[in-house]
């Protein structure tokens, strides 16, 4: 541990499991001029007192793959460093004690297969045979995952650090970072207790202090520490007698997890009445101390745990641990570059450092060295939150919700209440008045469906079709036969203008740019040739364009735009919250629009993919002829303060034509009937244009654009998997995403999204499947809520395959 130099290529702040892994992975990529600065000792934050359990399973399969990487890495770093990680690969059982949970576990088991995780469903008898301290009362079954276990947190952190040091990294202990300042050359000055250091890149891996360290750079990160208890018992007689360690057990309905610790056990609790701790981040002088235990608060869960494992009462409690670790609103870590803060990287907000620490290091090192994380990582990308998520109360409410629901079933149709309503559009109250039920996208209230004339309607969370099924059916039917009115507040809009706008967009986007008054679907690629976005580009004037994409991707998009923006000649303005509107679509939409404008809206005057500024009722609107429902349609966008007026006039003039306000559930059904994909589900950073089918919108011949060479190469090689539309013989449930697709016993793909096609009366799904299956179609099966259902590939969409209605 030599004294630090004055300059490093990278400074990592924080020597917990995450910082140590980041340091190691940078050296693995050949970056050895790297320094880790630790305030106290390695592990001195959350890490030292973690229960240090790990598992590969995560609701987001991309994160699950990263967790599997972390687990595999433990043997490597142990070998390389010569430091034991204290590996106990015991496997683990998740218990089902209600019919709903048992059904959910069966569905989870199917998802495990998509991930290639070799889990199995087991009987209560098998669980008790393997875990003799369990009282089997009420257990209906369980899921055994062989990739669960635990490590020694101290040994594991030191193994990363030791291996990094062997590869040339420096580590300085007992040296707090005091301040961070940007330098004119784009680098950073890091002021520390032992003096200043200059560096190109700063990585915030400060764990419990990460919010404070973020603020040193003017960044408000959405993470906050929360308390967490576990206890360690004295020896448990039936364990002491066993020849091998007992597998871990998670009693999901009991809100407890348990694993063997020597001849006793460690029992941890995710209580439903959680507590934050030092919301701003730990005090600077916080040592390796425990928080006093709060047994009364956790006693409801604890008593369930002690009833499930009665022998523990005899063993007695040897030690209580109440410690803190950080949570984000969705429980996933914050990783990656921070938009607008050059060379500042997040590696924090990690609540499962022993499942995810290795992967965070891998992803971040790839990102810094290659400019690309190397896989689909949006689920952990710091850009998935906007500045709104840093507000204290929002953070407290959403993190408490996540913590208290850690083991609660997440239903696909369930909308959770915390931190809401935060962003509402001017039409919100008017939409509520006609029965809107809202979901939330990036803090924005977005209608899911309209329970018209049913003020008391309450949707029941379910893995199966819910009681909102018929409402959505009516919205789909109205859209196909008359018109539907959908809020487009789920879109992000950017205006790109200036003398250099055309040239810049031509390089940014893989499609041709449209002429004035026209729009185009415009894939955006990374240099790797993989997708960066599925935008729509509209030319409003020779040097004025609109780009439209998903609302929740604003930070992600803008981070990319900023990286590429020239110093002059092009401006970008984010209009996502200053312009709002509606999509009016359906066979009668032209007649409805014609009521509200004196402009000519015939096909000749406003053709498919045409766009014009025109009066619509009282408003002056940008009207674009396009829809995502597959019907004749118009996206009508106005300054935000006029959105309510537009809503009122569209409703008034549309209702006599049979129009209905519709929500995102109907939109999903309508888009699947047309086989349209959307970002994050069908299209993602891990996809090439050729596998996703988006290459048909790419103008390879137009000349150079970002990602062209790599995308061309991928096209020549052909895709191993392709996106296809599936018809599933489902009964009362539809696929939701990530269910495996089978040919006999061979897994040939996975579902990306699914819904019931209400108009075509068919359960539908989009899926990536192996190319050979597409080329020689054969009967398939798809898991739907844990049961295999007969499935076939549709060679064309079941609704209007020639697109006549869209162009009508
Ligand atoms: C009771 C408990 C049980 C847990 N159980 C599990 C489990 O079973 N499985 C699991 O995966 N996870 C578990 N965790 C969570 C796990 O501990 C965290 O996910 C992990 O430790 C986070 O690591 P980190 O490196 O991000 O942060 P930390 O461990 O907090 O490390 C941050 C480091 O940064 C240093 N630092 C901060 N500011 C500065 C500065 N200004 N200058 C220099 N250095 C600075 C700190 O001193 C600290 O060492 C548990 C945590 C607790 C408390």
């Amino acid at each position: 541990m030599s004294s630090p130099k004055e300059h490093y290529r990278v400074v990592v702040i924080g020597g917990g499991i995450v910082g140590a892994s980041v340091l190691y992975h940078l050296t693995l990529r050949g970056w050895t001029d790297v320094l880790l600065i630790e305030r106290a000792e390695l592990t001195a934050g959350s890490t030292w007192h973690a229960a240090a359990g790990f598992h590969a399973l995560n609701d987001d399969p991309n994160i699950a793959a990263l967790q599997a990487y972390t687990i595999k890495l433990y043997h490597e770093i142990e070998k390389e460093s010569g430091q034991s990680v204290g590996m106990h690969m015991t496997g683990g059982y998740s218990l089902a004690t209600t019919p709903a949970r048992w059904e959910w576990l069966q569905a989870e088991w199917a998802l495990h297969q998509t991930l290639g995780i070799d889990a199995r469903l087991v009987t209560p008898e098998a669980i008790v045979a393997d875990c003799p301290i369990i009282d089997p009362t009420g257990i209906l079954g369980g899921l055994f995952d062989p990739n669960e276990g635990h490590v020694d947190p101290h040994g594991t952190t030191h193994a990363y650090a030791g291996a990094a040091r062997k590869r040339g990294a420096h580590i300085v202990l007992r040296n707090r970072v005091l301040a961070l300042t940007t330098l004119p050359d784009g680098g950073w000055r890091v002021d520390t207790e032992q003096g200043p250091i200059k560096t190109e890149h700063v990585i915030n891996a400060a764990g419990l202090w990460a919010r404070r360290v973020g603020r040193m750079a003017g960044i408000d990160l959405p993470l906050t520490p929360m308390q967490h208890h576990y206890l360690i018992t004295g020896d448990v007689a039936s364990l002491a007698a066993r020849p091998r360690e007992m597998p871990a057990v998670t009693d999901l309905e009991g809100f407890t997890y348990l694993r063997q610790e020597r001849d006793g056990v460690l029992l941890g609790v995710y209580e439903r009445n959680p507590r934050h701790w030092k919301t701003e981040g730990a005090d600077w002088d916080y040592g390796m101390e425990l928080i006093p235990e709060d047994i009364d608060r956790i006693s409801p869960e604890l008593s369930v745990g002690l009833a499930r494992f009665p022998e523990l009462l005899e063993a007695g409690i040897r030690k209580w641990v109440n410690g803190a670790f950080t949570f984000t609103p969705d429980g996933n870590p914050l990783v990656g570059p921070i938009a607008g803060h050059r060379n500042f990287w997040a590696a924090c907000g990690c609540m499962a450092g022993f499942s995810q620490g290795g992967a965070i290091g891998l992803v971040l090192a790839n990102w810094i060295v290659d400019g690309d994380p190397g896989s689909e990582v949006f689920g952990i990308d710091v850009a998935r939150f906007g500045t709104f998520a840093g507000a204290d109360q929002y953070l407290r409410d959403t993190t408490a919700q996540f913590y208290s629901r850690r083991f609660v079933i997440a239903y696909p149709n369930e909308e959770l209440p915390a931190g809401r309503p935060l962003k509402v559009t001017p039409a919100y109250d008017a939409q509520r008045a006609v029965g809107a039920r809202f979901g939330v996208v990036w803090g924005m209230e977005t209608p899911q469906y309209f329970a018209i004339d049913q003020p008391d309607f309450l949707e029941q969370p379910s893995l199966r079709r819910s009681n909102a099924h018929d409402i959505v059916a009516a919205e789909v039917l109205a859209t196909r036969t008359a018109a539907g009115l959908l809020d487009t507040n789920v879109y992000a809009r950017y205006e790109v203008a200036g003398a250099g706008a055309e040239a810049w967009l031509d390089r940014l986007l893989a499609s041709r740019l449209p002429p004035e008054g026209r729009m185009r679907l415009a894939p955006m690629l990374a240099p790797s040739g993989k997708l960066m976005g599925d935008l729509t580009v509209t030319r409003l004037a020779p040097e004025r364009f609109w780009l439209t994409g998903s609302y929740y991707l604003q930070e992600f998009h803008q981070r990319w735009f900023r990286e590429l923006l020239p110093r002059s000649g092009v401006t970008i303005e984010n209009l996502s919250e200053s312009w709002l509107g509606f999509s009016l679509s359906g066979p009668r939409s032209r007649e409805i629009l014609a009521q509200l404008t004196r402009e000519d809206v015939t096909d000749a005057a406003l053709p498919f993919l045409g766009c014009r500024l025109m009066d619509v009722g009282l408003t002056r609107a940008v009207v674009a002829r396009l829809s995502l429902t597959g019907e004749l349609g118009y996206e009508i966008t106005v300054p935000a303060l006029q959105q309510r007026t537009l809503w009122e006039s569209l409703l008034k003039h549309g209702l006599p034509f049979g129009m209905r306000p519709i929500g995102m559930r109907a939109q999903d059904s309508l888009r699947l009937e047309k086989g349209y994909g959307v970002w994050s589900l069908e299209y993602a950073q891990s996809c090439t244009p050729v596998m996703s089918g988006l290459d048909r919108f790419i103008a390879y011949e137009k000349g150079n654009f970002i990602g062209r060479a790599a995308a061309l190469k991928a096209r020549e090689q052909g895709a191993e998997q392709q996106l296809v539309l599936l018809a599933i013989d489902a009964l009362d449930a539809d696929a939701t995403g990530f269910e495996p697709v089978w040919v006999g016993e061979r897994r040939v793909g996975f579902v990306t999204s699914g819904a019931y096609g209400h108009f075509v009366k068919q359960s539908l799904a989009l899926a990536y499947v192996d190319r050979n299956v597409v080329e020689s179609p054969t009967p398939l099966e798809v898991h739907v809520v844990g049961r295999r259902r007969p499935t076939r590939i549709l060679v064309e969409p079941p609704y209007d395959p020639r697109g006549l209605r869209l162009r009508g």
Side-chain angles (χ1 to χ4, degrees):
M1 296 189 192
S2 54
S3 44
K5 300 188 296 169
E6 286 176 1
H7 186 280
Y8 286 86
R9 201 162 184 194
V10 182
V11 165
V12 180
I13 304 173
I17 186 73
V18 173
S21 163
V22 170
L23 190 75
Y24 169 69
H25 280 87
L26 283 167
T27 62
L28 211 53
R29 293 299 314 270
W31 283 34
T32 52
D33 185 24
V34 292
L35 169 71
L36 185 149
I37 304 178
E38 166 53 48
R39 182 189 63 99
E41 304 296 329
L42 292 179
T43 77
S46 299
T47 300
W48 69 274
H49 52 328
F54 60 77
H55 53 262
L57 183 64
N58 189 290
D59 282 346
D60 177 340
N62 298 304
I63 299 179
L66 291 171
Q67 293 185 176
Y69 167 82
T70 300
I71 297 167
K72 273 207 193 105
L73 194 64
Y74 286 137
H75 291 297
E76 297 293 315
I77 56 162
E78 188 168 76
K79 221 165 39 189
E80 192 171 338
S81 64
Q83 160 74 51
S84 166
V85 300
M87 169 64 79
H88 294 249
M89 187 64 106
T90 57
Y93 290 96
S94 298
L95 308 183
T97 50
T98 65
R101 178 67 74 176
W102 185 220
E103 184 171 64
W104 181 83
L105 271 190
Q106 292 169 60
E108 287 290 298
W109 167 71
L111 296 193
H112 274 65
Q113 297 177 51
T114 292
L115 306 175
I117 295 174
D118 183 23
R120 58 178 193 272
L121 292 165
V122 289
T123 61
E125 293 73 31
I127 297 169
V128 176
D130 215 7
C131 308
I133 63 169
I134 291 187
D135 175 350
T137 309
I139 297 179
L140 302 174
L143 181 69
F144 180 74
D145 178 354
N147 293 298
E148 279 192 41
H150 60 100
V151 284
D152 162 27
H154 180 271
T156 308
T157 310
H158 280 267
Y160 276 126
R165 239 191 251 112
K166 277 190 176 171
R167 288 174 178 267
H170 287 212
I171 295 176
V172 175
L173 303 179
R174 294 175 289 282
N175 185 27
R176 175 152 69 90
V177 169
L178 304 170
L180 296 166
T181 319
T182 45
L183 297 172
D185 65 1
W188 291 86
R189 176 187 154 118
V190 181
D191 284 299
T192 75
E193 287 173 331
Q194 295 175 19
I197 292 163
K198 286 187 184 159
T199 181
E200 286 171 39
H201 300 269
V202 169
I203 298 175
N204 179 357
L208 286 176
W209 295 262
R211 213 169 166 206
R212 290 182 184 276
V213 168
R215 284 192 173 147
M216 289 181 192
I219 300 158
D220 205 0
L221 290 162
L223 62 91
T224 185
M226 296 184 74
Q227 298 185 31
H228 182 72
H229 286 77
Y230 64 77
L231 59 85
I232 294 175
T233 67
D235 290 357
V236 176
S238 54
L239 294 183
R242 276 170 67 95
R244 65 183 172 85
E245 190 172 346
M246 189 184 78
V249 181
T250 306
D251 183 2
L252 296 161
E253 256 63 49
F255 297 89
T256 49
Y257 61 88
L258 172 140
R259 68 163 167 83
Q260 190 167 340
E261 173 74 17
R262 299 176 194 275
D263 285 339
V265 302
L266 179 157
L267 178 76
V269 173
Y270 272 97
E271 66 277 16
R272 280 158 293 175
N273 178 19
R275 281 287 181 282
H276 288 87
W277 181 80
K278 312 271 178 192
T279 321
E280 296 293 303
D283 298 335
W284 287 121
D285 60 358
Y286 174 65
M288 290 162 89
E289 302 137 21
L290 294 174
I291 306 167
E293 58 267 23
D294 187 353
I295 301 171
D296 284 350
R297 186 166 58 78
I298 63 167
S299 65
E301 292 78 13
L302 199 58
S303 47
V304 177
L306 294 174
R308 178 62 67 206
F309 306 101
E311 241 187 282
L312 304 190
L313 287 169
E314 288 161 36
I317 295 167
R318 190 157 57 80
K319 184 176 167 190
W320 279 103
V321 173
N322 183 16
F325 54 106
T326 55
F327 285 78
T328 61
D330 62 6
N332 285 329
L334 305 174
V335 183
I338 312 267
H341 297 265
R342 204 169 149 214
N343 292 346
F344 189 95
W345 305 80
C348 48
C350 177
M351 64 134 198
F354 295 89
S355 295
Q356 298 177 340
I360 293 173
L362 171 76
V363 165
L364 206 62
N366 286 343
W367 222 328
I368 293 177
V369 174
D370 304 330
D372 187 317
S375 60
E376 169 58 34
V377 297
F378 189 72
I380 60 173
D381 189 339
V382 62
R384 73 189 184 282
F385 294 112
T387 46
F388 68 89
D392 239 58
Q393 193 61 46
Y394 180 87
L395 201 48
R396 292 176 74 91
D397 290 357
T398 51
T399 49
Q401 173 174 272
F402 176 83
Y403 186 105
S404 61
R405 291 179 51 88
R406 179 91 169 87
F407 290 156
V408 175
I409 298 177
Y411 290 101
N413 66 333
E414 199 173 9
E415 303 294 344
L416 300 178
R420 299 177 59 190
L422 176 64
K423 303 187 206 171
V424 293
T425 68
Y428 174 75
D429 287 333
Q431 290 170 338
R432 268 173 69 115
V434 290
R437 298 293 190 272
F438 293 87
V440 68
V441 178
W442 222 57
M444 175 78 91
E445 295 296 318
T446 305
Q448 298 300 300
Y449 54 84
F450 289 78
I452 296 172
D453 297 331
Q454 300 182 64
D456 300 327
F457 178 81
L458 210 67
E459 186 174 9
Q460 300 305 321
S462 173
L463 294 178
R464 298 172 183 279
R465 292 174 194 150
S466 81
N467 52 336
H469 189 72
D470 292 346
I471 296 175
V472 177
E475 293 180 8
V476 169
L477 187 67
T479 310
R480 292 274 183 248
T481 56
L485 185 64
L486 179 79
D487 199 324
T488 50
N489 67 5
V490 288
Y491 292 171
R493 297 176 191 83
Y494 314 97
E495 180 161 311
V496 182
E502 177 168 9
W504 185 71
L505 283 174
D506 207 31
R507 206 175 120 59
L508 180 81
L509 303 175
S511 70
R512 279 196 184 285
L513 296 183
E516 190 176 343
R518 305 282 296 172
M519 61 202 309
R520 279 225 165 93
L521 299 181
M524 181 166 73
L525 306 185
S528 64
K530 296 195 171 155
L531 297 176
M532 271 302 279
D534 62 338
L535 304 175
T536 305
V537 57
T538 307
R539 193 190 293 237
L540 297 167
E543 294 179 356
R544 185 173 162 232
F545 299 82
W546 271 13
L547 291 178
T548 313
S550 303
Y551 179 75
Y552 69 93
L553 292 171
Q554 283 171 67
E555 287 284 322
F556 176 80
H557 286 148
Q558 291 182 98
R559 185 174 65 193
W560 184 235
F561 297 158
R562 272 204 199 108
E563 209 171 293
L564 302 165
L565 204 63
R567 281 184 193 280
S568 63
V570 189
T571 60
I572 296 193
E573 192 183 350
N574 184 0
L575 306 180
S576 309
E577 291 175 4
S578 53
W579 283 71
L580 297 167
F582 301 97
S583 165
L584 170 68
S585 72
R588 306 208 68 181
S589 55
R590 184 179 285 131
E591 293 164 81
I592 297 168
L593 183 60
Q595 302 276 307
L596 283 154
T597 183
R598 295 207 314 208
E599 302 268 343
D600 183 355
V601 290
T602 60
D603 190 52
L606 185 56
F608 180 56
L609 296 180
C611 176
R612 279 228 309 278
L613 193 66
M614 64 168 78
D615 290 353
V616 178
L618 280 177
T619 67
R620 166 113 329 171
V622 174
V623 179
R625 172 92 192 271
L626 164 94
S627 86
L628 249 183
T629 62
E631 298 292 340
L632 166 70
Y634 303 88
E635 282 175 7
I636 308 168
T637 310
V638 293
L641 293 183
Q642 300 172 35
Q643 184 234 17
R644 162 132 190 188
T645 303
L646 179 65
W647 165 261
E648 301 287 3
S649 48
L650 284 168
L651 214 58
K652 180 170 155 212
H653 289 85
L655 292 177
F657 287 85
M659 185 194 83
R660 270 183 85 118
I662 68 171
M664 291 308 295
R665 298 271 185 88
Q667 171 59 44
D668 260 345
S669 171
L670 291 157
R671 80 166 172 92
L672 278 163
E673 290 184 343
K674 288 290 294 172
Y676 296 154
V678 293
W679 191 262
S680 276
L681 301 176
E682 283 71 40
Y683 312 133
Q685 277 176 284
S686 54
C687 301
T688 59
V690 65
M691 68 190 279
S692 65
L694 284 183
D695 66 332
R696 66 185 186 281
F697 301 113
I698 292 187
Y700 288 102
E701 72 293 348
K702 80 169 182 176
N704 210 9
F705 56 85
I706 295 168
R708 180 177 182 272
L712 263 176
K713 199 164 156 207
R715 189 168 72 153
E716 277 156 25
Q717 285 168 348
E720 282 177 18
Q721 289 204 313
Q722 277 177 0
L723 188 65
V724 293
L725 184 61
L726 303 176
I728 305 175
D729 292 345
L731 296 174
D732 61 351
D734 304 296
T736 52
F738 301 120
E739 293 89 347
V741 181
W742 301 95
V743 171
E745 289 313 305
R746 189 161 56 94
R747 190 164 42 83
V748 296
F750 65 97
V751 168
T752 51
S753 64
Y756 186 69
H758 286 278
F759 194 74
V760 300
K761 305 216 176 311
Q762 172 69 61
S763 185
L764 298 166
L766 282 160
Y768 278 104
V769 299
D770 294 349
R771 186 168 64 181
N772 56 5
V773 175
V774 184
E775 284 162 359
S776 52
T778 110
L780 306 174
E781 287 178 312
V782 165
H783 263 106
V784 178
V785 196
R787 299 266 174 277
R788 286 194 189 192
R789 306 298 316 163
T791 299
R792 63 190 186 284
I793 293 177
L794 297 174
V795 287
E796 56 181 27
Y799 183 74
D800 187 26
R802 291 169 59 208
L804 300 177
R805 288 181 160 255
L806 193 64
R807 292 175 175 76

